[in-house]
């Protein structure tokens, strides 16, 4: 089997057939292939060019009531045959698990026929010169904002990828997808008067080249962000209102989504266990999972198990509406599977942009980035490093760093008092600016 | 998809150290020298790359010639074959297993400090030559000849000799370990309501072939085991984990180590019912011996990686040969700790690592180098050129980073603090290289009141600035412990295994991200 010469669907079908021949009762196979090219540019010249072409096979094996998941990039025919035989032998050594079966075929039904527009033909035609030019223009734009000679170094990058996959399950599922992505970033390092060398960046990700932020805007924003960090200080410890900008807010939201997985619920590792149908946030916490967004970074017609993708309400007016339940934990929990993971988030947006929200906030802190920290998924307690700006009189004031926020999520989301109109386009979470009241900051 | 996801797939610079799973601060576990010897995994038995990778010297020679076809200064090929297996126990049964096989070759072409990189998972002449030509495009000049002959570099140490390689261990030999730990965890405390276990092992072989004709082989075993508990008490739940890891074989799982795992995992979980988040603000912090070495990894280690200094973006870029800490502070980055997770016989550029003094008597002495930065600084590579796999180009990375023992005693240090916290168990950390701000997350610890450990604390992020905090390390005890946990360091979207350690130390003042200032 070679994925370079064979079509992916045939490769997946023959892997399933081989697994059954070697003793698996059921199997599903995913065959994937991707190509990614990237250029990195630093301080006026090319620093790195890389190209990655990868292909691989993942197999889920169900053998006499036992289960294993295996994957390999070694697709030489003899190696693959031995790999599958060995994997089946290993599976036989495990304990039986009555919950481990392929998804019920009815979960495969009703797949949308919509064209998600995930593949940009432009990707194939991009040249090395175009990639380098984008990276060079990013640097020029970043440096253009520096009137004081504070910028030490600028590293920019441009990358694009094409990925395709095909999945086949022995109980009737077949499906594939193809998609492109483009990525551009600028990292800018500046020298502060106290010897610190703060670094900031900006980036853009899109399915279509034309949707990338243009190099001039992106580079300038990265430069401005880095210069904005100069002279940052550690403020005093206090309880203050907190605005979190749309780019940073995904970090907070991911702390909320992890404990919504079926595994977290069944394994009693979730502070959201038992909270379905209950109010866990303010009225403004309203979002759903929307798999069918055209050109969406997380868009899909079926999930990782082949379950048909459908819109899923997550929070409505602060009330928890769904968990992310795959077929295995669905059986263990005696709950109907939804999907094992999020696709694209869709927020109920507010009417104001960030400047207006800050004007309303008056005194507080705008968080533009998180540094380390963690959240305890069982209790909801969290503690996160932050950087950003003090907001005074409704306007951005001095930059702050080396500070921390802490609290409990069940309390934090009830303190959500405003949602912006500015969903972040470079992430499938598409978070808007979020504003919370009464957050504990630690500093001096 | 977030930026990090994309970066995780291998793009632009993002300097962060995401430490892996949880770990502990048990007794020092430095396996004795010598070991059982003569096993199938020792470097003494050659990898036999002709058979394993199906490649020949002719094929290597032609690939390197293609790599230098546009005049690169240097080229290397990194072949890797790695079989990783994991087994998990949940709800009382070992009922799932995972296996991943990776086989491929990465081709790197270096021109000055510019890098061209490509890899292929098809080890045919056609595919390898095509990858080599792609990588060659970083240079733009007349072709240079590749090596005409090769020599196998034999003089490499043996830091992880196993009784048997993981390819020879059957699943039936691992199952009783997991089942025994599960039973012991439930038996040790009635509040334990859920136990999960994850066992993993790795059989990995690498071959570096470079344009100087050097061939270097290594077989790199790895294993780790995590025990995670959920406990319930009066309707409340808590969860915690203890993990161990090393470049070791099945014999790593001694009865003593397994007993310690249960004791630590259960103890660290159940104590959380009594714990609170500490107050917020600046205060003295005492770091327990062992995994508190995360402080060194974040506060200094990343900033000492030579790529950040070569580019002038590290806060340590102008601090070489200057005092940065009290004279009793000595910090090393060491590839030589036998059986440690961060140990390596050769780095991923084929260089033999050494023990590198980063800070000697309080003075910053050297950066951590890969071959590109070593050439830039005109020094010998320190054996810190590491990569996650053949899918990535090497970068300067840490190995086992720790502080040497100092003049104070643990009890003396605790007694010296009137009001502060004692931190003993951590889950992760991160650093901004240029600004120097770093964090580490404390899972367990205690308040210190009037020189005594009092109430347990939990779930708090500590935030500080590297150079400022190092200056404030004002007491160092004599009780160095190298942690036995399974840490993974993230940089540029690549994870590599590392170790860390430290004696008990006092930081005079640092920001504790607690509540109720």
């Amino acid at each position: 089997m070679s994925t370079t010469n064979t079509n992916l669907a045939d490769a997946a079908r023959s892997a399933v057939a081989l697994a059954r021949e070697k003793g698996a009762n059921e199997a599903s196979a995913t065959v994937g292939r991707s190509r990614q090219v990237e250029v990195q540019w630093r301080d006026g010249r090319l620093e790195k060019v890389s190209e990655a072409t990868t292909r691989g096979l993942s197999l889920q094996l169900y053998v006499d009531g036992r289960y294993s998941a295996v994957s390999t990039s070694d697709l030489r025919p003899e190696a693959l045959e031995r790999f599958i035989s060995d994997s089946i032998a290993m599976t036989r050594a495990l304990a039986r698990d009555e919950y481990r079966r392929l998804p019920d075929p009815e979960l495969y039904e009703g797949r949308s026929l919509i064209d998600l527009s995930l593949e940009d033909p432009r990707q194939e035609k991009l040249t090395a010169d175009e990639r380098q030019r984008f990276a060079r223009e990013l640097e020029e734009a970043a440096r253009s904002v520096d009137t004081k000679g504070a910028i030490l170094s600028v590293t920019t990058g441009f990358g694009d990828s094409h990925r395709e996959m095909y999945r086949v399950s022995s109980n009737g599922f077949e499906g594939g997808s193809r998609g492109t992505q483009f990525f551009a970033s600028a990292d800018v390092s500046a020298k502060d008067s106290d010897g610190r060398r703060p670094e900031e960046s900006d980036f853009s990700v899109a399915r279509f080249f034309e949707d990338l932020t243009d190099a001039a805007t992106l580079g300038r924003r990265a430069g401005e962000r880095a210069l904005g960090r100069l002279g940052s200080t550690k403020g005093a410890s206090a309880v203050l209102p907190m605005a979190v900008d749309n780019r940073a807010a995904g970090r907070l939201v991911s702390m909320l989504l992890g404990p919504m997985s079926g595994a977290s619920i069944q394994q009693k590792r979730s502070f959201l266990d038992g909270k379905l149908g209950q109010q866990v946030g303010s009225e403004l916490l309203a979002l759903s999972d929307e798999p069918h967004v055209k050109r969406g970074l997380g868009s899909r017609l079926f999930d990782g198990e082949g379950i048909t993708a459908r819109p899923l309400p997550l929070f409505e007016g602060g009330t928890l509406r769904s968990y992310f339940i795959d077929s295995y934990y669905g059986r263990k929990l005696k709950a109907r599977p939804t999907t094992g993971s999020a696709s694209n988030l869709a927020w109920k947006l507010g009417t104001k942009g960030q400047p207006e929200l800050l004007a309303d906030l008056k005194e507080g802190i705008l968080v533009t980035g998180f540094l380390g920290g963690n959240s305890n998924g069982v209790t909801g307690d969290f503690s996160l490093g932050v950087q950003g700006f003090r907001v005074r009189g409704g306007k951005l004031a001095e930059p702050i760093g080396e500070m921390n926020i802490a609290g409990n999520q069940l309390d934090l989301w009830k303190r959500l008092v405003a949602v912006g109109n500015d969903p972040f386009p470079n992430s499938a979470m598409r978070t808007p600016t979020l504003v919370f009241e009464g957050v504990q900051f630690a500093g001096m | 998809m977030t930026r990090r996801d994309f970066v995780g797939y291998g793009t632009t610079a993002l300097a962060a150290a995401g430490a892996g799973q949880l770990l502990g601060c048990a007794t020092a576990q430095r396996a004795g020298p010598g070991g059982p010897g003569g096993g199938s995994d020792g470097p003494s038995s050659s990898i036999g790359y002709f058979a394993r990778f199906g490649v020949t010297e002719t094929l290597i020679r032609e690939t390197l010639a293609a790599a230098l076809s546009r005049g690169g200064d240097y080229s290397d090929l990194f072949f890797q074959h790695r079989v990783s297996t994991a087994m998990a126990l949940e709800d009382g049964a070992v009922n799932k297993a995972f296996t991943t096989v990776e086989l491929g070759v990465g081709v790197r072409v270096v021109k000055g400090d510019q890098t061209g990189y490509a890899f292929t998972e098809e080890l045919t002449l056609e595919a390898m030559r095509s990858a080599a030509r792609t990588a060659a495009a970083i240079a733009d000049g007349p072709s240079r000849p590749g090596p005409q002959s090769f020599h196998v570099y034999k003089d490499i140490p043996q830091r992880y000799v196993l009784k048997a390689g993981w390819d020879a261990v059957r699943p039936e030999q691992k199952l009783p370990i997991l089942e025994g730990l599960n039973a012991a965890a439930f038996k040790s405390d009635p509040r334990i309501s859920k136990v999960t276990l994850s066992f993993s092992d790795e059989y990995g072989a690498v071959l570096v072939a470079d344009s100087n004709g050097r061939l270097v082989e290594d077989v790199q075993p790895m294993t780790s085991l995590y025990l995670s508990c959920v406990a319930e008490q009066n309707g409340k739940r808590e969860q915690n984990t203890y993990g161990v890891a090393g470049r070791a074989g099945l014999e790593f799982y001694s009865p003593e180590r397994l007993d310690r795992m249960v004791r630590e995992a259960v103890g660290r979980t159940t104590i959380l019912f009594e714990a609170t988040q500490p107050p917020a603000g600046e205060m003295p912090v005492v770091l327990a011996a062992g995994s508190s070495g995360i402080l060194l990894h974040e506060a200094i280690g990343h900033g000492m990686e030579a790529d950040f200094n070569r580019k002038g973006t590290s806060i340590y870029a102008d601090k070489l040969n200057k005092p940065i800490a009290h004279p009793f502070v000595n910090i090393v980055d060491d590839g030589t700790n036998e059986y440690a997770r961060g140990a390596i016989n050769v780095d991923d550029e084929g260089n033999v690592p050494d023990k590198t003094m980063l800070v000697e008597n309080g003075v910053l002495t050297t950066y951590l180098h890969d071959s590109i930065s070593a050439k830039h600084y005109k020094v010998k590579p320190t054996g810190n050129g590491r990569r996650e796999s053949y899918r990535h180009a090497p970068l300067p990375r840490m190995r086992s980073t720790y502080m040497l023992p100092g003049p104070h005693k643990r009890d003396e240090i605790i007694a010296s603090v009137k009001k502060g916290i004692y931190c003993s168990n951590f889950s992760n950390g991160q650093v901004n290289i240029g600004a120097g701000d770093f964090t580490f997350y404390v899972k367990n610890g205690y308040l210190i009141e009037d020189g005594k450990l009092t109430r347990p604390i939990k779930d708090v992020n500590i935030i500080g600035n590297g150079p400022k905090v190092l200056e404030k390390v004002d007491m160092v005890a004599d009780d160095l412990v190298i942690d036995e946990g399974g840490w993974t360091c993230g940089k540029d979207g690549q994870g590599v295994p590392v170790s860390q350690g430290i004696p008990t130390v006092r930081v005079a003042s640092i920001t504790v991200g607690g509540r109720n200032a």
Side-chain angles (χ1 to χ4, degrees):
Chain A
M1 181 175 126
S2 159
T3 52
T4 39
N5 304 318
T6 319
N7 128 358
L8 298 185
D10 289 346
R13 285 182 202 119
S14 63
V16 167
L18 189 57
R20 308 237 353 219
E21 194 182 297
K22 298 280 179 191
N25 311 88
E26 293 189 297
S28 70
T30 304
V31 181
R33 175 163 59 204
S34 76
R35 179 166 179 272
Q36 177 166 341
V37 185
E38 188 208 333
V39 299
Q40 226 181 78
W41 182 271
R42 180 171 67 88
D43 299 338
R45 65 192 196 117
L46 193 60
E47 166 138 298
K48 189 175 166 194
V49 174
S50 64
E51 189 169 321
T53 304
T54 182
R55 80 266 159 83
L57 162 72
S58 305
L59 265 175
Q60 283 153 302
L61 299 166
Y62 301 82
V63 187
D64 307 334
R66 296 161 167 92
Y67 170 81
S68 69
V70 300
S71 66
T72 182
S73 69
D74 185 357
L75 303 181
R76 295 175 294 183
E78 323 75 54
L80 189 63
E81 237 184 282
R82 201 178 60 232
F83 174 68
I84 292 176
S85 300
D86 288 354
S87 299
I88 288 170
M90 174 185 72
T91 310
R92 288 209 163 100
L94 303 175
R96 281 177 180 277
D97 187 345
E98 56 173 318
Y99 302 106
R100 210 46 104 160
R101 300 191 300 276
L102 284 170
D104 187 331
E106 75 167 42
L107 294 168
Y108 303 149
E109 290 169 10
R111 193 192 311 169
S112 168
L113 299 173
I114 185 178
D115 173 12
L116 295 173
S117 298
L118 304 180
E119 193 177 15
D120 183 356
R122 181 87 169 73
Q123 193 263 343
E124 219 178 2
K125 302 188 196 94
L126 264 187
T127 65
D129 284 349
E130 284 178 289
R131 293 184 182 101
Q132 282 187 39
R133 195 188 325 135
F134 201 108
R136 193 178 62 231
E137 287 171 10
L138 272 173
E139 180 186 348
E140 286 162 5
R143 289 191 181 275
S144 72
V145 300
D146 181 21
T147 53
K148 293 179 184 161
I151 288 181
L152 272 173
S153 181
V154 180
T155 303
T156 60
F158 181 92
D160 50 277
S161 67
H162 185 266
R163 290 184 214 188
E164 50 187 324
M165 60 79 74
Y166 201 86
R167 182 177 170 88
V168 172
S169 297
S170 59
N171 70 344
F173 176 84
E174 283 212 15
S177 71
R178 298 157 64 94
T180 50
Q181 262 191 22
F182 300 84
F183 176 84
S185 73
D187 295 307
V188 179
S189 170
K191 186 155 189 177
D192 218 331
S193 54
D194 64 355
R196 289 155 66 101
R197 296 167 188 233
E199 187 176 67
E200 255 289 6
S201 64
D202 206 356
F203 69 96
S204 178
V205 190
R207 291 283 192 183
F208 277 63
F209 183 73
E210 66 192 29
D211 295 339
L212 269 188
T213 308
D214 66 280
T217 307
L218 192 61
R220 200 177 59 242
R221 279 202 319 235
E224 283 165 358
R225 286 183 79 109
L227 297 178
R229 299 304 318 148
L230 294 177
S232 74
T233 55
K234 173 159 64 167
S237 300
V239 174
L240 289 168
M242 168 175 78
V244 182
D245 88 356
N246 62 355
R247 179 176 126 180
R251 177 82 171 82
L252 289 184
V253 178
S254 62
M255 304 190 315
L256 194 56
L257 299 189
M260 287 168 69
S261 75
S264 303
I265 302 298
Q266 193 270 333
Q267 286 295 307
K268 303 186 177 190
R269 290 164 192 270
S270 172
F271 68 91
L272 294 173
D273 185 18
K275 296 267 190 300
L276 211 56
Q278 291 184 24
Q279 185 93 14
V280 297
S282 83
E283 288 281 332
L284 296 176
L285 180 63
L287 63 149
S288 59
D289 190 54
E290 299 289 345
H292 296 154
V293 176
K294 288 215 174 195
R295 299 191 178 192
L297 292 170
S299 295
R300 64 193 183 198
L301 298 176
F302 53 87
D303 75 359
E305 285 191 287
I307 298 176
T308 293
R310 293 190 169 87
L312 183 69
L314 300 173
F315 295 92
E316 287 172 339
T319 300
L320 177 63
R321 290 295 177 207
S322 313
Y323 296 128
F324 293 105
I325 297 180
D326 65 10
S327 67
Y328 177 70
Y329 287 102
R331 285 186 200 106
K332 276 194 157 179
L333 289 163
K334 299 189 172 53
R336 186 177 164 80
T338 52
T339 179
S341 61
S343 60
N344 306 295
L345 298 188
W347 292 74
K348 187 177 172 192
L349 300 173
T351 55
K352 294 179 179 175
Q354 195 180 95
E356 295 157 281
L357 293 172
L358 296 181
D360 293 348
L361 182 82
K362 294 190 182 69
E363 296 297 314
I365 287 180
L366 170 70
V367 171
T368 56
F370 290 98
L371 180 68
N374 215 328
S375 174
N376 181 334
V378 181
T379 62
D381 288 333
F382 67 89
S383 183
L384 302 168
V386 295
Q387 65 181 37
F389 295 88
R390 191 71 165 77
V391 179
R392 296 184 195 278
K395 291 203 159 51
L396 286 187
E398 74 275 13
I400 54 116
E402 218 186 312
M403 293 188 76
N404 202 83
I405 58 166
N408 184 282
Q409 293 201 59
L410 287 171
D411 176 58
L412 178 79
W413 292 101
K414 292 197 173 92
R415 295 172 179 276
L416 179 67
V417 291
V419 171
N421 64 1
D422 53 350
F424 184 60
N426 301 300
S427 155
M429 294 175 114
R430 303 192 299 172
T431 40
T433 298
L434 301 175
V435 182
F436 301 85
E437 63 181 8
V439 176
Q440 174 70 60
F441 283 83
M444 279 186 288
Chain B
M1 166 177 277
T2 63
R3 174 171 191 252
R4 186 176 292 263
D5 289 335
F6 199 97
V7 168
Y9 208 73
T11 72
T12 57
L14 177 87
Q21 292 250 21
L22 311 181
L23 47 120
C25 65
T27 57
Q29 283 299 314
R30 196 169 159 196
S40 64
D41 241 358
S44 53
S45 64
S46 169
I47 292 170
Y49 54 88
F50 297 105
R52 181 178 291 275
F53 300 112
V55 296
T56 61
E57 281 195 9
T58 308
L59 197 145
I60 290 173
R61 186 182 304 120
E62 295 199 16
T63 305
L64 285 168
L68 296 176
S69 61
R70 296 185 61 175
D73 300 335
Y74 171 84
S75 173
D76 60 12
L77 311 182
F78 180 77
F79 292 88
Q80 186 171 37
H81 181 220
R82 181 159 62 185
V83 181
S84 328
T85 302
M87 286 187 166
L89 176 145
E90 181 182 291
D91 293 334
V94 182
N95 54 14
K96 54 187 163 183
F98 310 92
T99 301
T100 305
V101 176
E102 296 164 282
L103 174 72
V105 59
V107 184
R108 176 172 66 151
V109 177
V110 178
K111 175 82 181 172
D113 55 8
Q114 296 170 284
T115 301
Y117 198 79
F119 69 82
T120 171
E121 291 165 332
E122 213 163 331
L123 301 186
T124 60
L125 179 59
E126 188 194 358
M128 287 170 59
R129 237 191 336 219
S130 160
R133 287 203 191 101
T134 303
I138 194 72
D140 191 10
S143 171
R144 287 161 54 106
Q148 293 316 299
S149 63
F150 291 93
H151 57 280
V152 178
Y153 185 79
K154 290 259 186 216
D155 194 18
I156 70 169
Q158 300 189 28
R159 287 169 183 148
Y160 24 84
V161 179
L162 311 190
K163 275 188 182 162
W166 286 105
D167 57 331
V169 177
R170 295 189 317 279
E172 293 84 348
Q173 293 172 273
K174 305 174 199 171
L175 295 172
I177 296 176
L178 278 75
E179 289 159 354
L181 284 174
N182 180 59
F186 275 109
K187 200 175 151 199
S188 73
D189 194 303
R191 291 172 289 178
I192 299 298
S193 60
K194 288 279 187 186
V195 169
T196 55
L197 281 150
S198 163
F199 185 109
S200 72
D201 58 72
E202 221 173 86
Y203 180 82
V206 301
L207 164 68
V208 181
D210 71 17
S211 52
N212 300 322
R214 197 176 53 137
L215 295 175
V216 185
E217 301 172 322
D218 194 21
V219 174
Q220 301 173 334
M222 182 68 79
T223 184
S224 67
L225 178 55
Y226 295 99
L227 167 57
S228 178
C229 304
V230 176
E232 297 193 37
Q233 175 179 307
N234 304 328
K236 290 199 165 146
R237 289 177 190 160
E238 288 288 356
Q239 181 263 325
N240 216 338
T241 300
Y242 188 78
V244 299
R247 288 201 189 275
L250 194 63
E251 58 275 16
F252 180 67
Y253 297 103
S254 63
E256 298 76 36
R257 181 168 270 124
L258 297 176
D259 285 349
R260 183 165 63 247
M261 285 189 71
V262 173
R263 206 166 54 238
E264 292 289 344
V266 172
R268 289 167 185 216
T269 304
T270 53
I271 198 166
L272 295 174
F273 291 117
E274 302 158 44
T276 52
Q277 284 183 303
E282 286 186 8
M283 63 190 78
V285 169
V286 176
L287 298 168
S291 64
S292 308
I294 190 168
L295 169 91
L296 309 175
H297 185 99
E298 306 300 355
I300 181 168
H302 277 293
M304 294 301 287
E305 290 164 345
D307 48 348
F308 299 119
N309 291 287
R310 175 166 65 77
K311 298 171 189 174
T313 57
S314 166
I315 193 160
Y316 292 105
D318 52 9
K319 292 192 164 55
L320 207 57
N321 300 317
K322 292 183 181 161
I324 59 160
H326 282 276
F328 49 75
V329 172
N330 289 281
I331 303 171
V332 297
D333 182 75
D334 190 350
T336 71
N337 298 144
E338 285 176 338
Y339 302 101
R341 183 167 161 85
I344 38 177
N345 289 331
V346 290
D347 72 3
D348 298 322
E349 301 182 300
N351 296 316
V352 174
D354 218 334
K355 190 169 173 169
T356 309
M357 287 299 289
L358 288 176
V359 177
E360 197 164 0
N361 303 324
V363 175
L364 198 51
T365 45
T366 183
Y367 297 134
L368 299 173
H369 291 287
D370 63 1
S371 60
I372 293 180
S373 70
K375 205 170 160 198
H376 177 93
Y377 283 98
K378 300 187 174 66
V379 295
K380 255 182 74 180
T382 52
N384 287 85
R386 304 187 66 193
R387 51 180 135 195
E388 180 178 298
S389 74
Y390 60 84
R391 297 186 178 93
H392 306 272
L395 297 167
R397 306 296 296 267
M398 282 174 264
R399 300 158 310 200
S400 178
T401 314
Y402 54 94
M403 186 184 287
L404 299 178
H408 303 99
K409 296 282 179 201
R410 175 183 181 272
D411 294 348
E412 170 194 2
I413 291 177
I414 294 168
S416 74
V417 175
K418 182 142 179 61
K419 201 166 171 130
I421 61 169
Y422 176 84
C423 309
S424 55
N425 175 26
F426 307 84
S427 68
N428 57 292
Q430 200 177 328
V431 62
N432 281 342
I433 303 294
D437 291 351
F438 71 96
T439 64
F440 52 91
Y441 191 83
V442 180
K443 265 316 283 183
N444 291 102
Y446 289 89
L447 290 179
I448 310 178
E449 293 168 301
D450 293 326
K452 290 193 177 63
L453 303 186
T454 56
R455 191 150 185 204
I457 57 164
K458 63 176 177 181
D459 287 313
V460 61
N461 200 37
I462 306 259
I463 187 159
N465 183 268
K468 282 196 265 175
V469 165
L470 276 183
E471 282 172 21
K472 290 182 186 167
V473 171
D474 60 356
M475 294 178 91
V476 178
D478 55 1
D479 57 348
L480 168 66
V481 173
I482 308 278
D483 184 58
E484 66 180 337
W487 292 90
T488 299
C489 165
K491 174 177 172 182
D492 246 7
Q494 297 191 45
V496 298
V498 294
S499 301
Q500 60 198 23
I502 200 168
T504 304
V505 304
R506 184 176 82 171
V507 181
S509 164
I510 188 168
T511 296
V512 174
R515 295 160 90 171
N516 312 319

